[in-house]
Amino acid sequence: MSYHQLPPPDTILLAPSHPISSRWWSKETVAIVTGANKGIGFALVRRLAEEGVTVVLTARDTGRGVEAAESLRREGLQNVHFFQLDVANPNSINTFAAWFQEAFGVVDILINNAAVSFNEIHENSVAEAETVIRTNFYGPKMLTEALLPLFRRSSTGARILNISSRLGLLNKLKNPKLKEMLLDEENLSEEQIEGMVNLFLENVKNGTWKSQGWPHVWTDYAVSKLALNAYSRVLARRFKTHGLTVNCFCPGFTQTSMTGGKGNHTADAAATVGARLVLLPAEELSTGKFYVVGSSNAFYSKL
């Protein structure tokens, strides 16, 4: 399915090789990719830099981040820059935002990729649920809010892409009250989403999480992505007429450290699709959507 044949209404299949119809970006276009010292984040930095975009690679570990950026510069990608960022730490976010404003002034593309999971493929412990929620949901939310004043206002449109997962789709949620709340898109609020997250953490603490209708696979990770998807829809609604698109992208079962190297495709393949998505011309890019890597099966989702 091509980029020019986007199926309604909420989930879009992306073909990995379809060309972008027009080039709107230049070396003055600035992108930020979090959690980018390896895996999909690193591959996204490379793809965007290869297209001529100026990219800020961020990572929690300074040494690994520096080495990742230097390795790309050794490939000839001199438009890659590094700054340390731990999205789970509000002080780190504030430091990064202040540095970025001084160094670049404006941002065109933000890719919230940084995320954690502490489970093996077939495990489902919630022992680290607070860390997972803080990193995967609150991290992108706090960083996005810190950078909102810096997004460039232009006819090409600024873009936020939240790397998500089908594990966080509504069909994985069996709690009818929560599902009803999330389906009420026009009235859904950030406070309601945070209330849902707090309820989950309370259920984890009192040991009732297995019986409360939460997703059954990688539960803490799935809830963090469920919340991120919902927040993305709220943010997309808020900025729909302000030249800022907000979407989610599920790279699918990808060969990364999080999956123990297992998967149906490489991080480079997933990043090729993700990079094409954020580089779509403004007239072809929707907002408030859940994008998935193209396949023979369609997926429907309410964010």
Side-chain angles (χ1 to χ4, degrees), residues 119 121 123-124 167-168 172 214-223:
N119 287 304
I121 292 295
E123 293 180 347
N124 193 29
L167 294 177
K172 305 297 191 296
W214 301 109
H216 293 162
V217 178
W218 272 20
T219 301
D220 54 3
Y221 182 84
V223 172

Side-chain angles (χ1 to χ4, degrees), residues 21-288:
S21 62
S22 63
R23 184 186 180 101
W24 58 267
W25 63 94
S26 68
K27 64 180 180 180
E28 281 73 40
T29 304
V30 182
I32 299 169
V33 183
T34 67
N37 63 283
K38 62 180 180 179
I40 295 172
F42 180 77
L44 279 164
V45 172
R46 175 187 278 131
R47 287 297 300 117
L48 291 173
E50 287 174 344
E51 291 288 346
V53 175
T54 296
V55 190
V56 178
L57 180 159
T58 79
R60 180 175 54 185
D61 184 286
T62 298
R64 293 175 181 176
V66 168
E67 173 53 33
E70 289 182 348
S71 71
L72 292 174
R73 287 196 286 267
R74 288 194 294 270
E75 295 179 15
L77 300 173
Q78 302 303 314
N79 47 337
V80 175
H81 308 266
F82 169 74
F83 199 85
Q84 190 274 340
L85 173 61
D86 179 358
V87 299
N89 185 329
N91 291 331
S92 180
I93 288 175
N94 291 336
T95 299
F96 172 78
W99 168 82
F100 181 86
Q101 183 173 17
E102 179 68 22
F104 295 97
V106 293
V107 59
D108 298 280
I109 299 168
L110 169 62
I111 301 181
N112 285 307
N113 169 73
V116 296
S117 175
F118 296 90
N119 287 304
E120 299 295 333
I121 292 295
H122 299 294
E123 293 180 347
N124 193 29
S125 168
V126 295
E128 302 293 339
E130 288 190 11
T131 299
V132 172
I133 295 295
R134 183 170 62 250
T135 304
N136 298 2
F137 168 56
Y138 283 109
K141 184 176 185 294
M142 290 188 297
L143 178 62
T144 297
E145 291 173 354
L147 294 174
L148 277 176
L150 304 182
F151 278 97
R152 192 192 307 270
R153 302 294 187 241
S154 69
S155 59
T156 58
R159 296 109 193 275
I160 297 174
L161 184 65
N162 292 322
I163 306 302
S164 190
S165 171
R166 279 169 280 192
L167 294 177
L169 294 186
L170 272 184
N171 61 7
K172 305 297 191 296
L173 183 65
K174 305 306 179 184
N175 184 308
K177 290 185 178 180
L178 291 177
K179 185 175 289 189
E180 181 181 3
M181 177 191 76
L182 294 174
L183 282 169
D184 186 9
E185 299 170 7
E186 293 304 315
N187 297 304
L188 183 62
S189 68
E190 294 177 33
E191 291 75 18
Q192 288 176 308
I193 298 167
E194 292 187 7
M196 177 187 71
V197 167
N198 290 334
L199 176 62
F200 169 66
L201 293 176
E202 288 176 11
N203 291 165
V204 169
K205 288 180 180 179
N206 62 32
T208 62
W209 62 276
K210 289 185 179 180
S211 62
Q212 299 302 311
W214 301 109
H216 293 162
V217 178
W218 272 20
T219 301
D220 54 3
Y221 182 84
V223 172
S224 73
K225 295 302 186 180
L226 179 70
L228 182 62
N229 291 346
Y231 172 66
S232 300
R233 176 58 63 89
V234 170
L235 202 63
R237 186 183 69 212
R238 186 195 311 169
F239 289 98
K240 188 173 184 179
T241 60
H242 292 77
L244 174 63
T245 63
V246 185
N247 291 298
C248 291
F249 171 55
C250 172
F253 190 32
T254 308
Q255 298 160 13
T256 65
S257 60
M258 187 177 289
T259 63
K262 299 177 182 178
N264 299 326
H265 49 258
T266 65
D268 285 339
T272 296
V273 180
R276 289 177 183 277
L277 173 56
V278 294
L279 295 178
L280 281 172
E283 64 272 14
E284 296 179 33
L285 182 60
S286 300
T287 189

